[in-house]
Amino acid sequence: MDITPFLNRNLDSPLYQQLYRYFKENMHRGRIQKGMKLPSKRLLANQLSISQTTVERAYEQLAAEGYIVSKPRSGWFADYHDSDFAYAYDRMPSTTPIQQEAEENKQWIDFHYGNVDSSYFPFSAWRKSMVNSLDQYGHELYRPGHVLGEFELRTLIAEYLYQSRGVHCGPEQVIIGAGNPILLQILCQVFEPNISIGYEDPGYPRARKIFEANRMNIVPIPVDDEGICIQKVKEQQPNLVYVTPSHQFTLGTIMTINRRIQLLKWAAENQSFIIEDDYDGEFRYTGQPVPSLQGLDQHNRVIYMGTFSKSLLPSLRISYMILPSPLLKKGHEITSLYKQTVSCHSQLTLAEFIKNGEWQKHINRMRKLYRKKRAIVLEAVQRELGEHVRIRGENSGLRILLDVYLPFGEKELIEKAKKHGVKIYPVSLSYQNHPPTKTVSLGFAGVSESDIREGIKKLKAAWKI
Amino acid sequence: MDITPFLNRNLDSPLYQQLYRYFKENMHRGRIQKGMKLPSKRLLANQLSISQTTVERAYEQLAAEGYIVSKPRSGWFADYHDSDFAYAYDRMPSTTPIQQEAEENKQWIDFHYGNVDSSYFPFSAWRKSMVNSLDQYGHELYRPGHVLGEFELRTLIAEYLYQSRGVHCGPEQVIIGAGNPILLQILCQVFEPNISIGYEDPGYPRARKIFEANRMNIVPIPVDDEGICIQKVKEQQPNLVYVTPSHQFTLGTIMTINRRIQLLKWAAENQSFIIEDDYDGEFRYTGQPVPSLQGLDQHNRVIYMGTFSKSLLPSLRISYMILPSPLLKKGHEITSLYKQTVSCHSQLTLAEFIKNGEWQKHINRMRKLYRKKRAIVLEAVQRELGEHVRIRGENSGLRILLDVYLPFGEKELIEKAKKHGVKIYPVSLSYQNHPPTKTVSLGFAGVSESDIREGIKKLKAAWKI
DNA sequence: GGGTATTTGTCCGTATGTATG
DNA sequence: TCATACATACGGACAAATACC
């Protein structure tokens, strides 16, 4: 067994790891049987013209992983359990090439709503928070962690929400979860099955699907310029209402203060609850900031939901909800059933990030950035598309809607845009009955300033305006 | 002499100076006598998880100041003159009381099953994986990430499961999720509501609660020495069976190969599915490794579930399940409804950790550690409690059961233990009807070796044996 | 069969290159 | 540029196991 050709000093991987891999592989393949003696360190070191210690290092790694054992003053012996790779190498399952989905990176200009602008993320600050929290809390990561979420983070969230959204709560009301859908799922189980839930039409399709999956009785409620129609709510008398007041999910309208008060009054009178989903409440552009429903509520009827996906990293997967006191007990119960879904360390990193003021800083920076992008998109649409479209939902959030006054339907508009390298999105899916519309959605957060201008130009060409 | 608590990476002073001060102080106090040998650089560096060079720096500084001398190839030796300290340090400030909390917690010897041993977690390796993956994938953290989980991690899990458990799957079958309960929840929605599910009695109470919350029809099936009773399964004909074959959740028995084959045969014949929850399959101690149900299955009837909670960090919150092909489509659909629940970065960190062999290393190390602890607890029980108890479920996993032959019930046994500072746990809650038992559960993973011995001694006293 | 030379793992200090801030 | 910390690799001293005479 001559190993010499397998060692290469010029490779990136160190000598001892090359040695380690060599032996491990030969054990897998059965060339080194259980119990066999490995060459002594000196012998091998001489043969390979390397140091004993290097061989020793390789052997130690093998030993650490349980493949070999040392008999002092006698030698090293292969001692792996068959179970370690009993099934290995007879044939590995072929890894199916699943990535075709990635579609050729044809230079799309993609107005997808979910995208955000990555170039401004404060990497080094985040990284620092991450490392700090690991070094600082290290040993605490072993506790399963609080089911509701780390106390520290919950306190910070409560404080932030109070200052920025007027939400009034204590840390015991905050529940951290791995994304809005998970929290909605938990919420569904807090309520009895088969209750009726008022759902904005159009609204957030994912939420509707989760309600459906939990066999709730969905009552579509129309939305007008001021928000959800109270009249219809009163007619239907659902047990629960799901709304997105600070930026209506599809239409982008902001619920007026009057409408809010009416809705709260109705909920108090009927002992109903309101789910206030403030999924991108951080970003508004005009007018007075309207207080959140939760902040206006006097009767503990509001469940407030928020997330860090839009305003920080979409892939971070940290969201939260605020339970009103009547739901606390049941809420904690259901939550503890699923345990906490966000890793302790992610939570503590975020807490550190917030404590250092980096969060606030980032929000302000992004708000400024998005405000600028919004101005650019509005200006470009005005100039290029002019009279042929009407802009809606432009007062908050990270997207706008275009009502298009052309003889095409939603589908055609999207198809034509696609042929010109621009991805835009339909709104009909947000409606209960997927009615035909002439409206398309443009999320601008993830598109660069120049691409916004160019994208709108391309729309003009695509639609032959 | 354990120095660990005296080192703190977050302090301003560098590690080597902290070390330097520690030794200097101890020489002053006479704890390190003249001529005594200091720990070798390697030893100390390993023990403290720092680099040799750091220790070397500290020793060099001490040497430069004449406190110690190096004998080449032999060690470093204290060599100060008493006069060196004649005027210095009239009284050193008492070393930081960092361990007080630990002292208080020490009152309890807690045999809680969920605890794990934290002292062996390779912090620096984890930290490194974390930083590396952030630097390497940074910009990719903006994509929402693949709903099933990052391709890289899914591939590694598929490979690991194939080698260690004989599970046969491709990455497209793997679904990553924030904890076993979340995955169970998703699974529940993959199946129709109101189907019947065979549930081991006794079994995993949390799983049962989730099935109940999803309004499944729960069919308790008794368990004998070989595993779940096939006869009863055949009588009841549930649509689905939930089992923990590699370490029955409550009783700790390992399902025999015959029983496995019978169960699979039944499932194939009845077009039923089996959920194989391998929650701590990494740890078995005796006998041949039994192949997983998923590996034995020829008809795509098995859903395999596993987790990194037991074997890595409980607070990490990364679990996975393997769907058989008939469930793929629906499974992906439901999963995408909730989006991916684990942050991209956590996934990529874990992937990096696995790729570097750190995961395998850690598993082997923990296996060894737990094997030892198991031996200690068995020996201690044998010696202290002897004839008065019978040990069950000792062949795998991280806990044992004790059938106690004394005139006390479960509750009394636990109460008495508690009064002597030992926490042990009931098993009756795992049964459908919470029957009275005389059996208690002792999880030993999170208890130190000396505490195990002392804890068992205290049980002897508590029960007046 | 008992002493001796050799082999072998273990442990030690040292030197150099690199990443980070 | 410098301080700090880590990773890799080297060569030698030591004592026990083993082989050999």
Side-chain angles (χ1 to χ4, degrees):
Chain A
M1 177 167 67
D2 189 12
I3 315 176
T4 322
F6 298 100
L7 282 186
N8 185 344
R9 281 176 186 276
N10 297 321
L11 290 179
D12 273 344
S13 76
L15 287 178
Y16 80 94
Q17 276 190 24
Q18 294 182 41
L19 255 184
Y20 156 80
R21 264 200 301 275
Y22 173 83
F23 280 110
K24 188 165 154 186
E25 200 178 316
N26 275 285
M27 284 189 281
H28 278 176
R29 297 178 183 250
R31 283 206 277 269
I32 299 178
Q33 299 283 342
K34 217 163 37 167
M36 263 176 72
K37 184 174 178 303
L38 274 66
S40 89
K41 294 191 315 178
R42 251 165 267 262
L43 215 68
L44 198 57
N46 271 328
Q47 191 185 333
L48 301 177
S49 298
I50 57 175
S51 151
Q52 290 178 44
T53 324
T54 308
V55 183
E56 189 177 335
R57 190 92 190 264
Y59 282 7
E60 265 166 9
Q61 187 167 348
L62 286 164
E65 298 184 10
Y67 295 121
I68 65 176
V69 291
S70 126
K71 270 199 198 170
R73 273 116 227 158
S74 164
W76 289 89
F77 299 85
D79 183 42
Y80 52 89
H81 300 285
D82 283 331
S83 58
D84 289 344
F85 25 64
Y87 311 100
Y89 289 95
D90 54 81
R91 207 176 54 253
M92 267 298 291
S94 65
T95 49
T96 38
I98 200 174
Q99 304 132 305
Q100 289 163 357
E101 355 159 343
E103 281 198 332
E104 311 99 62
N105 291 343
K106 183 186 166 188
Q107 297 288 332
W108 290 107
I109 294 179
D110 188 353
F111 287 98
H112 181 60
Y113 171 61
N115 295 345
V116 294
D117 194 320
S118 68
S119 47
Y120 286 72
F121 183 73
F123 261 106
S124 57
W126 181 256
R127 188 188 140 130
K128 200 180 250 171
S129 299
M130 209 174 66
V131 173
N132 277 355
S133 58
L134 182 67
D135 290 344
Q136 198 173 334
Y137 295 100
H139 55 284
E140 294 193 38
L141 300 180
Y142 287 99
R143 309 162 314 164
H146 199 292
V147 278
L148 301 182
E150 294 304 300
F151 181 77
E152 203 152 6
L153 180 58
R154 284 184 287 126
T155 307
L156 287 165
I157 287 175
E159 198 177 321
Y160 165 73
L161 288 179
Y162 181 65
Q163 294 186 6
S164 77
R165 314 284 301 121
V167 168
H168 202 277
C169 68
E172 76 286 356
Q173 292 174 264
V174 182
I175 296 178
I176 312 279
N180 182 292
I182 289 293
L183 292 174
L184 278 176
Q185 172 64 37
I186 289 175
L187 209 45
C188 283
Q189 299 194 357
V190 168
F191 294 100
E192 297 300 309
N194 302 321
I195 67 167
S196 60
I197 176 165
Y199 165 84
E200 293 174 328
D201 189 33
Y204 182 27
R206 190 183 302 275
R208 189 182 59 213
K209 279 186 195 155
I210 291 173
F211 298 141
E212 278 169 1
N214 284 274
R215 268 157 304 253
M216 285 190 164
N217 181 18
I218 297 191
V219 182
I221 312 259
V223 176
D224 64 22
D225 286 347
E226 294 195 49
I228 196 166
C229 294
I230 294 291
Q231 205 47 49
K232 294 285 178 184
V233 172
K234 286 184 177 165
E235 285 170 19
Q236 302 280 348
Q237 292 289 17
N239 306 97
L240 193 57
V241 178
Y242 172 84
V243 287
T244 51
S246 63
H247 183 223
Q248 206 281 329
F249 184 82
T250 308
L251 304 176
T253 50
I254 303 175
M255 193 185 291
T256 59
I257 182 80
N258 280 335
R259 198 58 69 83
R260 287 176 196 233
I261 290 169
Q262 287 173 23
L263 187 60
L264 286 169
K265 185 160 169 260
W266 166 82
E269 281 167 2
N270 291 274
Q271 298 281 303
S272 299
F273 286 97
I274 301 168
I275 304 175
E276 175 180 25
D277 193 345
D278 206 4
Y279 63 103
D280 66 356
E282 272 84 13
F283 306 109
R284 77 192 106 75
Y285 306 111
T286 59
Q288 292 297 313
V290 184
S292 63
L293 281 169
Q294 207 273 2
L296 292 169
D297 177 31
Q298 301 283 330
H299 301 89
N300 295 316
R301 310 316 296 172
V302 177
I303 300 128
Y304 179 92
M305 310 189 79
T307 178
F308 290 95
S309 293
K310 281 271 176 291
S311 48
L312 202 59
L313 280 175
S315 75
L316 185 63
R317 316 277 43 216
I318 301 187
S319 300
Y320 49 86
M321 65 178 168
I322 314 297
L323 292 184
S325 48
L327 298 179
L328 271 186
K329 189 162 166 290
K330 183 81 175 174
H332 289 187
E333 198 180 297
I334 301 290
T335 306
S336 68
L337 179 56
Y338 293 97
K339 300 190 192 166
Q340 175 50 233
T341 49
V342 180
S343 86
C344 258
H345 186 226
S346 297
Q347 293 180 59
L348 294 172
T349 299
L350 180 55
E352 185 84 5
F353 191 78
I354 295 175
K355 256 191 300 182
N356 295 341
E358 296 291 345
W359 161 245
Q360 198 51 254
K361 215 151 77 186
H362 183 246
I363 282 287
N364 289 333
R365 197 162 33 207
M366 296 316 274
R367 199 176 284 156
K368 207 165 168 181
L369 174 70
Y370 291 144
R371 190 190 299 273
K372 190 170 171 198
K373 287 196 178 183
R374 168 179 166 272
I376 289 173
V377 76
L378 292 182
E379 189 266 342
V381 166
Q382 190 64 39
R383 187 180 28 159
E384 305 290 345
L385 309 178
E387 309 273 286
H388 302 285
V389 301
R390 188 174 70 116
I391 301 173
R392 281 199 290 166
E394 75 278 19
N395 290 330
S396 81
L398 305 176
R399 70 165 164 191
I400 60 167
L401 297 187
L402 296 184
D403 289 340
V404 185
Y405 303 134
L406 291 172
F408 313 124
E410 174 187 272
K411 211 170 176 177
E412 276 176 290
L413 290 169
I414 292 170
E415 274 304 319
K416 285 174 189 291
K418 199 168 184 178
K419 279 186 188 139
H420 281 68
V422 180
K423 285 190 182 174
I424 55 177
Y425 295 86
V427 302
S428 63
L429 295 178
S430 297
Y431 285 88
Q432 178 85 353
N433 304 318
H434 307 340
T437 78
K438 288 171 161 272
T439 310
V440 291
S441 152
L442 278 73
F444 53 82
V447 191
S448 77
E449 301 181 6
S450 58
D451 273 5
I452 290 178
R453 292 203 185 85
E454 200 183 335
I456 303 296
K457 264 187 200 153
K458 285 188 174 176
L459 282 187
K460 180 182 186 175
W463 296 339
K464 299 201 172 60
I465 294 177
Chain B
M1 176 168 67
D2 189 12
I3 314 177
T4 321
F6 300 98
L7 282 186
N8 186 341
R9 281 177 189 274
N10 293 316
L11 290 181
D12 276 341
S13 75
L15 288 177
Y16 79 94
Q17 278 187 21
Q18 295 181 41
L19 255 184
Y20 158 80
R21 266 201 300 278
Y22 175 82
F23 281 109
K24 194 161 146 187
E25 193 181 320
N26 275 286
M27 284 189 282
H28 174 229
R29 300 184 167 223
R31 283 207 275 266
I32 299 178
Q33 301 280 344
K34 228 172 7 178
M36 261 176 73
K37 185 173 177 302
L38 274 64
S40 88
K41 293 192 313 178
R42 254 168 254 269
L43 217 67
L44 198 55
N46 267 325
Q47 193 184 334
L48 301 178
S49 298
I50 58 176
S51 145
Q52 287 181 42
T53 324
T54 309
V55 181
E56 190 178 336
R57 285 292 290 273
Y59 282 8
E60 267 166 7
Q61 187 166 348
L62 286 164
E65 298 182 12
Y67 296 121
I68 64 174
V69 291
S70 135
K71 273 199 200 172
R73 269 142 230 123
S74 167
W76 291 85
F77 298 85
D79 184 41
Y80 55 89
H81 301 285
D82 284 334
S83 60
D84 290 346
F85 295 109
Y87 306 104
Y89 301 103
D90 48 275
R91 209 174 56 249
M92 274 294 292
S94 63
T95 50
T96 41
I98 203 169
Q99 300 134 308
Q100 282 180 357
E101 10 168 328
E103 302 282 327
E104 281 165 43
N105 292 347
K106 212 170 189 178
Q107 290 173 352
W108 291 107
I109 294 179
D110 188 354
F111 286 99
H112 182 60
Y113 173 60
N115 295 344
V116 296
D117 195 320
S118 69
S119 48
Y120 285 71
F121 183 74
F123 262 104
S124 55
W126 181 257
R127 186 189 138 125
K128 195 173 162 187
S129 300
M130 211 173 66
V131 173
N132 278 354
S133 56
L134 183 67
D135 291 345
Q136 198 173 334
Y137 297 99
H139 55 285
E140 295 194 40
L141 300 182
Y142 287 97
R143 309 163 315 167
H146 199 292
V147 277
L148 302 181
E150 294 303 299
F151 181 77
E152 199 153 8
L153 180 59
R154 283 184 286 127
T155 308
L156 287 166
I157 287 175
E159 195 178 324
Y160 165 73
L161 289 179
Y162 184 63
Q163 294 192 5
S164 77
R165 314 285 300 121
V167 167
H168 199 278
C169 69
E172 76 285 357
Q173 293 174 263
V174 182
I175 296 178
I176 312 278
N180 183 291
I182 290 291
L183 292 173
L184 278 176
Q185 172 64 38
I186 289 175
L187 209 45
C188 283
Q189 299 194 356
V190 168
F191 294 100
E192 297 298 311
N194 302 321
I195 66 167
S196 60
I197 177 165
Y199 165 84
E200 293 173 330
D201 190 32
Y204 181 27
R206 190 182 301 274
R208 189 183 58 211
K209 279 186 196 155
I210 291 173
F211 298 142
E212 278 169 2
N214 284 275
R215 262 151 287 146
M216 287 191 161
N217 180 17
I218 297 192
V219 181
I221 312 258
V223 175
D224 64 22
D225 287 348
E226 296 194 47
I228 197 166
C229 292
I230 294 292
Q231 204 47 47
K232 294 285 178 182
V233 173
K234 286 184 177 163
E235 285 170 19
Q236 303 280 348
Q237 292 289 17
N239 305 97
L240 192 57
V241 178
Y242 172 84
V243 286
T244 50
S246 63
H247 182 222
Q248 206 282 330
F249 184 83
T250 308
L251 304 176
T253 50
I254 302 174
M255 193 185 291
T256 59
I257 182 79
N258 280 335
R259 198 58 71 82
R260 288 174 196 237
I261 290 169
Q262 287 172 26
L263 186 60
L264 286 168
K265 185 159 170 259
W266 167 82
E269 282 167 1
N270 290 274
Q271 298 281 302
S272 298
F273 286 97
I274 301 167
I275 303 175
E276 174 180 27
D277 193 346
D278 208 4
Y279 63 102
D280 66 355
E282 271 84 12
F283 306 108
R284 78 194 104 75
Y285 306 112
T286 57
Q288 291 297 314
V290 184
S292 63
L293 281 168
Q294 206 274 2
L296 291 169
D297 177 30
Q298 301 281 332
H299 301 89
N300 295 315
R301 310 316 296 173
V302 177
I303 300 129
Y304 179 91
M305 310 190 80
T307 179
F308 290 95
S309 293
K310 280 269 175 293
S311 48
L312 201 60
L313 278 176
S315 78
L316 186 62
R317 315 275 44 215
I318 302 187
S319 300
Y320 48 86
M321 67 177 167
I322 314 296
L323 292 184
S325 48
L327 299 180
L328 271 187
K329 188 163 166 291
K330 182 82 176 172
H332 288 188
E333 198 179 299
I334 301 289
T335 306
S336 68
L337 179 56
Y338 293 96
K339 301 194 192 161
Q340 175 50 233
T341 49
V342 180
S343 86
C344 255
H345 187 224
S346 297
Q347 292 180 58
L348 294 172
T349 299
L350 180 55
E352 185 83 5
F353 190 79
I354 294 176
K355 256 192 300 184
N356 293 341
E358 295 291 344
W359 161 247
Q360 193 55 253
K361 208 149 85 182
H362 185 245
I363 282 288
N364 287 328
R365 196 162 35 208
M366 295 316 274
R367 199 177 284 158
K368 211 164 171 180
L369 174 70
Y370 291 143
R371 193 190 297 273
K372 191 168 169 201
K373 287 197 177 183
R374 168 179 165 272
I376 289 172
V377 74
L378 292 181
E379 189 265 344
V381 166
Q382 191 65 38
R383 188 176 27 142
E384 306 290 345
L385 309 178
E387 308 274 286
H388 302 287
V389 302
R390 188 173 71 115
I391 300 173
R392 280 196 294 167
E394 75 276 22
N395 290 330
S396 81
L398 305 176
R399 72 164 163 191
I400 60 167
L401 298 187
L402 295 185
D403 289 340
V404 186
Y405 303 133
L406 291 171
F408 313 124
E410 175 186 273
K411 211 169 174 178
E412 275 177 291
L413 290 168
I414 293 169
E415 274 303 318
K416 283 173 191 289
K418 199 167 184 180
K419 278 186 189 141
H420 281 70
V422 180
K423 284 188 183 174
I424 55 177
Y425 294 86
V427 301
S428 63
L429 295 178
S430 298
Y431 286 87
Q432 179 85 351
N433 304 317
H434 309 340
T437 77
K438 287 171 161 275
T439 309
V440 291
S441 153
L442 278 72
F444 53 81
V447 191
S448 77
E449 300 182 5
S450 58
D451 273 5
I452 291 178
R453 293 203 186 85
E454 200 183 335
I456 303 295
K457 263 188 200 152
K458 285 187 174 175
L459 283 186
K460 181 182 186 175
W463 297 340
K464 300 202 172 59
I465 292 177

